[in-house]
Amino acid sequence: MRLAGKKVLCLVDEEFEDLELWYPIYRVQEEGAVVHLAGPVSGKSYTGKYGVPAKADFAFADINIDEYDGLLVPGGWAPDKLRRYPEVLAFVRRMNEREKPIGQICHAGWVLISAKILDGRRVTSTPGIRDDMENAGAIWLDEPVVVDGHLVSSRRPPDLPAYAKAFCDRLAGV
């Protein structure tokens, strides 16, 4: 229970990648952290690409990001929607300023691109957005997980074990 007392915010919107949302949530909870899901509308159930639902505990507007120790951004098609919300970009920028762990997997890199926090940072993502990541100034690596300070990035579902462990390690201060 090395994450007891920690709070993590996970972002959600329609068509998130089911495993990329739920696997890290369960892993963080197994270590003792509390996880809240935030979406555009509080209490709304959002549907993943493969039909698994996720109900938002809070709306973006209800969140004080300073109350959280980490941020998880799932992949799928949701990141293309998430990056359009000013609150989401503010969350990412604030967590980056505070050097709190930010986990992003697959297409979630789009959110970090739109928050403009990737210049000079080492990251990975799905190879499909490699050009986007590099055009944002990132140094893109084709590895299962890349940790650059407080940023933890991963490529796709087969990399989830390494990604979730690395995120938990960062959250624990390891």
Side-chain angles (χ1 to χ4, degrees), residues 5-131:
K6 300 282 187 179
K7 284 176 61 177
V8 174
L9 184 67
C10 184
L11 305 176
V12 67
D13 205 337
E14 298 293 346
E15 298 185 89
F16 58 87
E17 206 298 333
D18 306 56
L19 286 173
E20 293 171 359
L21 179 104
W22 288 111
Y23 188 108
I25 287 174
Y26 291 145
R27 184 68 180 84
V28 168
Q29 288 175 332
E30 286 172 348
E31 295 249 12
V34 171
V35 180
H36 293 143
L37 272 75
V41 179
S42 177
K44 180 178 176 183
S45 187
Y46 296 89
T47 305
K49 286 172 48 178
Y50 303 105
V52 177
K55 186 175 179 181
D57 300 305
F58 300 101
F60 299 140
D62 300 332
I63 296 295
N64 174 0
I65 197 62
D66 290 332
E67 295 177 3
Y68 291 88
D69 302 295
L71 179 68
L72 285 168
V73 187
W77 303 128
D80 192 33
K81 298 169 182 62
L82 291 168
R83 67 182 176 164
R84 300 173 196 201
Y85 294 97
E87 301 97 334
V88 167
L89 301 182
F91 297 160
V92 172
R93 288 184 193 119
R94 182 68 177 147
M95 294 301 270
N96 188 58
E97 289 167 6
R98 294 173 61 215
E99 296 186 358
K100 296 292 184 179
I102 300 171
Q104 68 93 15
I105 185 167
C106 200
H107 286 84
W110 278 336
V111 177
L112 280 63
I113 289 168
S114 293
K116 301 186 184 335
I117 68 162
L118 291 181
D119 193 29
R121 303 307 296 269
R122 294 174 48 250
V123 295
T124 194
S125 66
T126 179
I129 67 165
R130 175 183 180 168
D131 290 347

